[in-house]
Amino acid sequence: MDQQTATALQAFTQRYCDAWQQRHGTSPRSEELYGVPSPCVTGTEEEAVFWQPQPFSLTPTLEAVERALDIVVQHPLQTYYTSQFAGDMPATFGERQLTLLQVWSQDDFRRVQENLIGHLVTQKRLKLSPTLFIGTLDSELDVISVCNLTGEVLLETLGTRNRTTLSASMASFLSHLDPLV
């Protein structure tokens, strides 16, 4: 486990939950996750779910991704995806608005790993260096990803070599995010 990443993710999640509570007077709320089972669910209302982060209860590894592509996933990425169950969290990084992707449940963890494998297979086919996504933007072609070789957080245009470094590390990136509630 990468303690810096775990601490930075936990701190951002707490900032997000606190900002939501301050603005709306409730736990974070999601309409997209309504009806999807998760240990995070604290209540429901009018086709929406309220949630709070919960400890990750599965084996904390992306072994399925590593095995499928015969790679070693860097510790910060392993930690990011296996530290907690939580809802996706909108945020800003500087002027950029993004959604920080999270694992919602045990079933979602399998789906996330399948999507990461598909992303890495496409990159391998296109002869691009391996990245794993951690966030989305409004543009469906752009994602926030982490280079599995350098650990840098990138703005990446899918299927191209267009990559812009946003931060030297995952912990630094998470520390500079502001909740968007």
Side-chain angles (χ1 to χ4, degrees), residues 2 30 49 58 64 77 84-85 99 108-109 133 136 173:
D2 178 62
S30 171
V49 63
L58 305 171
L77 282 158
Q84 66 184 14
F85 291 117
T99 299
D108 190 41
F109 185 58
F133 54 82
T136 59
F173 176 77

Side-chain angles (χ1 to χ4, degrees), residues 37-86:
S38 169
C40 301
V41 175
T42 60
T44 59
E45 159 191 282
E46 298 176 17
E47 307 219 0
V49 63
F50 295 97
W51 63 268
Q52 283 291 303
Q54 297 297 314
F56 192 80
S57 58
L58 305 171
T59 304
T61 178
L62 293 174
E63 184 180 328
V65 176
E66 292 180 321
R67 195 175 45 247
L69 287 135
D70 195 27
I71 64 170
V72 174
V73 176
Q74 283 198 10
H75 288 294
L77 282 158
Q78 297 265 2
T79 298
Y80 176 80
Y81 277 112
T82 64
S83 290
Q84 66 184 14
F85 291 117

